[in-house]
Amino acid sequence: MRRVPVSDWVTELAACQAAGFDCFGMIAGVDRVESIEVIASVVRSSDASCELMSTTLDADRTVASIAHVYTGAAWYERELAEMFGVLVAGAGDDRPLLRRTDEGAPTLLKSTILGARVLTPWPGDADAGDDAKANRRRQRAVGVAEGWLVDESGSDD
Amino acid sequence: MTERVIPPNAHSLIGLNPEACTSCMICVRECPVWCIDLASHTHEVTEEGARRPKVVHVLDEFTIDFGACMYCGICVDVCPFDALAWSSEIDPSAHAAGGLVHGIDQLVKWFPASGS
Amino acid sequence: MTSARHYSVPGVPGLAVGVLDIGLACCSLEIAAAVTAGLLVPSDSGSAESSVLLVSGTVTDAMAPAVLSAWNALPEPRRAVSFGACANTGGPYWDAPTVLKGVDQVIPIEVYVPGCPPRPEALIAGLAELAAR
C-alpha cells in the first residue's frame, strides 16, 4: 500500500488512471482514533494488478473528491462523508446513503455510541449462579466500547 | 467438475446438551449479537466423605434466539464442555419473530446424538 | 421490479406461488440456490394461488419505503415471508441506527424463516408452513 500526502490525493489517483488502472475498486475510511485514514483501491484490467493507496487526513478531516477521475468513487465518497464525517471537497453529490435524519453522529466512527447496545440489557451481565453477582466486577459487553457505559458518578463502567 | 457437497450441518441449527453445560456463561458473553440467554442457580452438594459441601451450578433456562442468531458458531467453538454443537436439522419457521426463540426442551432435541 | 415469478415447489405438493424476491443482502443467494437445486421450479403456468413477497436481507430505513411499495404493488391475495436474520430482527445489524429491527416494522409478515443465511431447505420448510396456514 502506498501512503501519500492528502494534498497529492487527486494527482496520485489521476496518475494511476494514466498508468492504465482503469477500474475503480473502492474507497474505505478507517477510524484511527487520532485521525481518519482513507484508502482507495484501483485495478488494471489488462493484468489484474491492484494498487492500494492510503492517506491520513488532517484535523479538518477533508479530502478532495476523485469522482472526476473515477466516476464510481462518488458513491464511496458519499459513504465517507456520511459515516466518517469526512468533508469531501468538490463532491457533486453529498446526499446521505443510509441516514434519514440529521440526528446522531457519523455511524462508523469509533466514538459513535450504538444506542441499542447501551439500552439493551446484556444477557452476559447475569453471573453464573444468582448469588455471586454482587461480588463480581462487571465486565464490558461484546460490542460495547470503553466509555460507553458511564455511571452518574462519572466512573467508567 | 467435482460435485461439491454441502455438509448437512452447515449453517443449520445449534443444539444444546444441558447435562454438559456448567452455566459458565462463556457462550452468552462471547455471542456478538447477544442472542443467548442463560439462567442458573447455585446449589450445595455434600458428597460422602467430603469435608465441605461443594457448590454446583444448576441450569434453569437456556435460550437461543434464532431470529437474531448469525450462525457464526462462536458459541460452539468457545464452549469448554462441548455442550453446544451444530445440528443437521432444518430450522423451523415461525409465525412471529419471537417464535424463533428456542429453549432447553427444543435445543436438547437438536443436539446431535454422537456429537458433531 | 414488481412482477412476481411463478414457481412450483416439489417438496410441497399443490403449492404454486408467485414469488417476488426482494434480495437486499447476501442471503438472497440462497433463493437462487433453491432454484438451482430444484427445490423451487420456475413454471410458466402463471396460476399461482397467491403472491408471496419474499424479503431477504438487511432492511435499512432508506430501503423501507421501497419494500412497502413492492408490497403494495403485489396483487391480492398476497402474503409476505421474512427470510433470514436481518429481515427477521435486524440480525447482525440489530445495533445499527440505520437498520430496521425486522421487516415486520413495515409490512405484515406471516412466516419468519430463521438462518444467517437460511439453507434453501429452510426456505422450502417456510413455504410449506405458509401453505399449511
Side-chain angles (χ1 to χ4, degrees), chain C residues 9-60:
Chain C
V9 189
V12 191
L15 178 65
V17 284
V19 175
L20 177 60
D21 165 28
I22 312 188
L24 303 176
C26 33
C27 58
S28 60
L29 295 174
E30 300 299 323
I31 293 156
V35 175
T36 52
L39 298 172
L40 275 181
V41 180
S43 70
D44 300 323
S45 72
S47 60
E49 291 151 18
S50 63
S51 308
V52 176
L53 186 72
L54 189 58
V55 184
S56 58
T58 321
V59 186
T60 58

Side-chain angles (χ1 to χ4, degrees), chain A residues 18-149:
Chain A
F21 288 88
D22 50 346
C23 292
F24 176 73
M26 53 95 204
I27 291 178
V30 184
D31 182 357
R32 299 287 186 203
V33 183
E34 70 282 356
S35 62
I36 300 288
E37 184 180 357
V38 176
I39 297 168
S41 85
V42 289
V43 177
R44 185 160 55 201
S45 53
S46 58
D47 61 356
S49 63
C50 177
E51 178 80 276
L52 269 179
M53 206 172 302
S54 153
T55 191
T56 299
L57 305 191
D58 298 331
D60 62 0
R61 295 196 170 177
T62 301
V63 69
S65 171
I66 59 159
H68 61 287
V69 182
Y70 290 102
T71 311
W75 194 91
Y76 289 88
E77 288 176 348
R78 286 171 66 187
E79 185 179 79
L80 205 56
E82 178 183 7
M83 298 174 193
F84 290 91
V86 169
L87 181 73
V88 184
D93 188 350
D94 60 356
R95 290 171 299 155
L97 291 161
L98 289 178
R99 291 161 77 194
R100 283 296 173 267
T101 65
D102 288 334
E103 291 161 25
T107 42
L108 292 182
L109 289 181
K110 287 177 181 161
S111 57
T112 300
I113 292 172
L114 295 175
R117 294 254 178 200
V118 175
L119 298 174
T120 310
W122 181 47
D125 238 359
D127 210 337
D130 40 10
D131 44 359
K133 196 183 283 182
N135 300 327
R136 212 180 114 261
R137 197 178 177 277
R138 285 177 71 204
Q139 80 182 77
R140 200 161 62 228
V142 178
V144 172
E146 200 174 339
W148 280 11
L149 303 177

Side-chain angles (χ1 to χ4, degrees), chain A residues 116-117 120-131 136 139 141-142 144, chain B residues 22-25 28-38 40-42 57:
Chain A
R117 294 254 178 200
T120 310
W122 181 47
D125 238 359
D127 210 337
D130 40 10
D131 44 359
R136 212 180 114 261
Q139 80 182 77
V142 178
V144 172
Chain B
T22 65
S23 313
C24 72
M25 299 289 288
V28 179
R29 296 197 175 117
E30 293 293 325
C31 175
V33 292
W34 305 5
C35 76
I36 306 175
D37 237 317
L38 186 159
S40 66
H41 66 273
T42 49
H57 293 285

Side-chain angles (χ1 to χ4, degrees), chain C residues 86-98:
Chain C
C86 282
N88 289 339
T89 65
Y93 308 103
W94 69 272
D95 59 359
T98 52

